[in-house]
Amino acid sequence: MLNEKMVGLGTQRSVIRELFEYGKMRAAEVGAENVFDFSIGNPSVPAPDCVNETVQKLLQSMDPVILHGYTSAQGDAAARQAIADSINRRFGTSFGADNLYITVGAAAALCCCFNGLTCPGDEFIVFAPYFPEYKVFIEGAGARMVLIPADIEAFQIDFEKFEAAINEHTKGVVVNSPNNPSGVVYSEETVKKLAEILNCKSQEYGHPIYLIADEPYREIVFDGTVVPYLPKYYKNTLVCYSWSKSLSLPGERLGYVLVPDEAEDARLVYAAIAGAGRSLGYVCAPSMFQHICAACADETSDISVYETNKNLLLKSLREMGYHVVEPGGTFYMFPRTLEADDVAFCEKAKKYNLLIVPGTGFGCPGHTRISYCVPTERIERSLSAFEALAKEYR
Ligand code: PLP
């Protein structure tokens, strides 16, 4: 007898992975240059020089502990301090090593939070459109995910529906800004209103409602867009970060959870996160990359190609008649589909070897995600396919 839920999770591929695999098969049939694969969010720009330089330096040191050894379960103390220093320089905060728990990417950071916080009957609120793994992570921790429908005009927050969904079981609220899949960044106005409601409701129900800020795209923003730093607006914020996108290092699996001292019962919350990390086996993230990310924490990959792609795609799609909310960051865009059935629309797109992901999986039907972390030349060549698809609906 096996755990049927896990068998299910392990055998069903995500829609994105399914499409990615289909793209590889199609490339073998018609040539890679004829397939416009916008399915997956793998950064397409190299890591900044600082990463390679630090790799070389560490390799030359031949220090077996730094290179390949165990660190403390929560991460090397010097690496955590260097990361805290970088956060403090950028956001005017005063965090230290003990505010950080280093993890294998944002995925593990989120799982540590959900598992560390959940008591029987707890709920976490998530806003559509959302990163589909949240449901897996939240339910895996034994909690219930409560989905708030999207505000499809701006992809900010529908506060009326949000307030109505909060109850005594609400343990936390997950926000992801800049957002996968919409690319939208929450405005300061949205963040202030969110904090106000959370303060009010925490008081009403007599327990803190934690804000879990999932921020792997924090640095990938366009045209001077500012991403408000949430711990400055709401004290019970837990930041889940990752260098997968900002340093183009998704395969190295490095991220962290940040627990501010200002959070209620901060040391207990940190202990619960460390305990969750221990029970899940998420201890001692890869040592060498802890040191590399610490040394490069002020750096970001050259993201200019993402902005070029965003501008080109946005202008072209709008000219063709697609409705698109302009992304403030990430490398995703989330246009409305030209028919209500987004799954049928994306199936039709395959006719033109255009691989785009239906919005339904992100909790937002009637939309499609385009992941444009690809060479600009591929965007240019794909435009005739987007045009041919649009023509079918005129
Ligand atoms: N959160 C969001 C919104 C993401 O898009 C991703 C990855 O694509 C993750 C979390 C997981 O990031 P990581 O690769 O650091 O585990």
Side-chain angles (χ1 to χ4, degrees):
M1 188 79 165
L2 297 174
N3 181 330
E4 287 304 316
K5 191 164 180 190
M6 294 304 151
V7 173
L9 283 172
T11 42
Q12 293 152 16
R13 265 201 206 118
S14 74
V15 177
I16 299 172
R17 288 265 153 205
E18 203 67 69
L19 205 55
F20 183 60
E21 294 303 324
Y22 170 84
K24 285 198 280 193
M25 187 195 79
R26 203 67 193 117
E29 286 166 5
V30 299
E33 70 285 4
N34 298 315
V35 178
F36 308 116
D37 186 352
F38 298 115
S39 63
I40 213 159
N42 225 352
S44 58
V45 297
D49 291 344
C50 171
V51 169
N52 289 336
E53 286 159 14
T54 313
V55 170
Q56 308 262 351
K57 216 159 72 189
L58 291 179
L59 285 177
Q60 276 159 16
S61 79
M62 303 273 282
D63 181 328
V65 175
I66 286 190
L67 285 176
H68 310 299
Y70 286 124
T71 64
S72 304
Q74 68 270 43
D76 177 81
R80 283 183 287 125
Q81 186 59 51
I83 295 162
D85 291 343
S86 166
I87 298 169
N88 296 339
R89 272 193 296 279
R90 286 184 291 151
F91 305 116
T93 47
S94 50
F95 300 125
D98 290 342
N99 297 110
L100 290 165
Y101 185 92
I102 299 184
T103 57
V104 280
L110 290 160
C111 288
C112 284
C113 288
F114 296 137
N115 281 275
L117 295 178
T118 297
C119 300
D122 278 352
E123 297 177 354
F124 288 89
I125 290 178
V126 167
F127 300 101
Y130 71 102
F131 178 56
E133 293 301 283
Y134 291 161
K135 191 165 162 48
V136 179
F137 298 163
I138 290 171
E139 291 182 354
R144 193 167 87 88
M145 185 179 98
V146 176
L147 188 64
I148 309 297
D151 146 30
I152 62 165
E153 293 310 318
F155 293 124
Q156 296 287 316
I157 290 177
D158 183 331
F159 282 108
E160 224 171 274
K161 293 196 177 107
F162 171 52
E163 271 199 83
I166 303 175
N167 62 47
E168 70 270 26
H169 302 296
T170 308
K171 180 53 73 69
V173 174
V174 185
V175 289
N176 168 223
S177 165
N179 181 265
N180 174 11
S182 71
V184 163
V185 174
Y186 284 164
S187 65
E188 187 176 39
E189 193 192 339
T190 293
V191 169
K192 282 185 169 162
K193 183 105 195 267
L194 180 66
E196 191 189 312
I197 293 171
L198 288 176
N199 276 320
C200 199
K201 293 286 181 181
S202 297
Q203 207 164 17
E204 182 180 338
Y205 292 114
H207 64 81
I209 298 174
Y210 294 96
L211 183 60
I212 297 170
D214 180 26
E215 303 202 325
Y217 302 94
R218 162 163 284 281
E219 287 82 14
I220 306 182
V221 285
F222 310 136
D223 211 12
T225 301
V226 174
V227 185
Y229 193 63
L230 296 183
K232 295 185 111 169
Y233 294 83
Y234 184 63
K235 68 174 187 169
N236 288 316
T237 299
L238 309 177
V239 179
C240 295
Y241 183 79
S242 151
W243 286 279
S244 294
K245 319 287 173 172
S246 61
L247 291 181
S248 304
L249 296 175
E252 306 302 347
R253 314 302 303 132
L254 245 293
Y256 62 72
V257 184
L258 179 136
V259 183
D261 287 333
E262 293 73 21
E264 230 170 291
D265 294 327
R267 292 330 298 163
L268 284 181
V269 172
Y270 187 92
I273 284 164
R278 183 177 172 191
S279 85
L280 292 164
Y282 295 169
V283 291
C284 181
S287 169
M288 186 170 163
F289 270 85
Q290 288 189 35
H291 294 284
I292 292 164
C293 291
C296 304
D298 286 346
E299 306 261 342
T300 304
S301 299
D302 177 2
I303 60 157
S304 54
V305 66
Y306 301 148
E307 186 156 11
T308 304
N309 291 356
K310 185 269 288 181
N311 289 336
L312 174 61
L313 207 45
L314 185 70
K315 180 170 169 292
S316 310
L317 291 182
R318 282 179 170 172
E319 279 168 7
M320 293 172 202
Y322 291 90
H323 179 283
V324 198
V325 175
E326 179 163 5
T330 73
F331 34 62
Y332 307 110
M333 153 176 326
F334 202 54
R336 281 186 200 164
T337 48
L338 299 174
E339 63 179 295
D341 184 342
D342 51 298
V343 177
F345 179 81
C346 294
E347 259 323 291
K348 211 169 270 181
K350 280 183 177 171
K351 223 166 65 180
Y352 304 98
N353 292 317
L354 208 49
L355 309 188
I356 50 180
V357 186
T360 295
F362 301 97
C364 193
H367 292 77
T368 177
R369 189 188 78 171
I370 302 173
S371 179
Y372 53 84
C373 45
V374 298
T376 306
E377 155 286 313
R378 190 185 307 167
I379 308 264
E380 285 162 349
R381 285 191 301 105
S382 73
L383 294 178
S384 56
F386 279 111
E387 170 58 23
L389 180 61
K391 222 167 152 187
E392 288 207 32
Y393 293 90
R394 283 189 198 127

